[in-house]
Amino acid sequence: MIKNLTPKSLSITLFSLTKFSINYNLPINKDLFYFYGNLALKSITKFEHFRVALLSWSLAVNQIYIPNLLAAIIQVSFKKRFLFSPYSIALTIWSISKLSCQQSIFNLNQLSPELNSMYCELINRSKQLFQSFQLRELSMIVHGCSKMGLLNYNNFSSDFLIAIRSRQDLDDISKQSLLTFICSFSFSSGSSSSSS
């Protein structure tokens, strides 16, 4: 029965276990997460965009390393990037950056050229959705890109600064917090991408 779980069931199971662990401050059963994660790897191409987001977030939060899963998440996210909702793409980008850092990958040059290019296209897609992001989604994108040294990629920080300043629905404190964070990271290092 367990081995026949659908992508929907797998993603919801991992997400629910993670939320339960966080809410009640309980340790997770990592063996169970590795088991479910390996099942997900076998069928990840069948995951809908929102399921990819839930899966990647659950694994990132719990620091679950499964060989080839990071690459698979980037590949399937790239293929489905035009189907992602603002929340899904923000959560996925944040999760990919966290999973990458857990594997000592701190910039895109440490990925293969193919994965580098795919991830950059995912970032480009997120730029097209700037005006649709809620505050938490804006924060996830900024944090995810800063972790991977991407705030300088393809004028990302400049476009982001313009997008945030033009948002009438954000209060001044929220805007200033995001703007300060972006400026603190934007020029601390050169662009990490070889695809700019």
Side-chain angles (χ1 to χ4, degrees):
M1 288 291 290
I2 291 179
K3 292 184 178 180
N4 293 324
L5 286 174
T6 64
K8 179 179 180 179
S9 299
L10 274 170
S11 60
I12 290 178
T13 298
L14 289 174
F15 178 79
S16 299
L17 287 172
T18 302
K19 291 291 288 184
F20 185 84
S21 171
I22 293 172
N23 291 341
Y24 293 96
N25 195 27
L26 295 172
I28 65 162
N29 183 331
K30 287 210 168 189
D31 288 338
L32 187 62
F33 270 76
Y34 282 114
F35 177 75
Y36 281 128
N38 277 296
L39 281 183
L41 178 59
K42 296 177 182 178
S43 59
I44 196 167
T45 56
K46 299 177 182 178
F47 277 53
E48 297 176 8
H49 58 88
F50 186 59
R51 307 301 168 195
V52 176
L54 294 184
L55 170 68
S56 58
W57 179 83
S58 300
L59 297 176
V61 168
N62 292 301
Q63 299 183 31
I64 303 298
Y65 169 65
I66 296 174
N68 301 320
L69 188 54
L70 175 62
I73 288 172
I74 294 175
Q75 289 167 345
V76 74
S77 298
F78 166 75
K79 291 178 181 178
K80 301 185 179 185
R81 65 192 183 282
F82 293 110
L83 302 175
F84 273 87
S85 67
Y87 177 72
S88 295
I89 200 167
L91 190 62
T92 301
I93 287 172
W94 180 90
S95 301
I96 288 173
S97 70
K98 193 166 182 65
L99 285 169
S100 298
C101 291
Q102 288 167 6
Q103 297 176 34
S104 297
I105 297 173
F106 300 106
N107 64 70
L108 291 188
N109 288 333
Q110 292 175 264
L111 297 172
S112 70
E114 180 184 22
L115 292 178
N116 182 316
S117 177
M118 287 180 177
Y119 191 68
C120 286
E121 285 303 315
L122 193 61
I123 297 298
N124 285 333
R125 176 55 182 159
S126 77
K127 288 174 62 175
Q128 298 169 5
L129 299 172
F130 275 176
Q131 295 300 328
S132 301
F133 286 141
Q134 300 297 316
L135 178 59
R136 64 174 178 173
E137 293 154 5
L138 288 167
S139 298
M140 284 191 286
I141 289 288
V142 172
H143 278 77
C145 289
S146 67
K147 290 289 186 182
M148 294 296 284
L150 277 170
L151 287 181
N152 286 324
Y153 167 70
N154 197 17
N155 296 320
F156 186 94
S157 59
S158 298
D159 291 347
F160 212 100
L161 289 169
I162 293 171
I164 291 173
R165 289 193 180 108
S166 67
R167 291 284 293 267
Q168 301 299 316
D169 57 322
L170 297 179
D171 60 72
D172 290 339
I173 294 177
S174 298
K175 283 186 179 181
Q176 190 58 47
S177 176
L178 286 169
L179 293 174
T180 300
F181 188 85
I182 291 172
C183 290
S184 69
F185 277 92
S186 293
F187 306 106
S188 60
S189 61
S191 175
S192 298
S193 172
S194 62
S195 298
S196 55

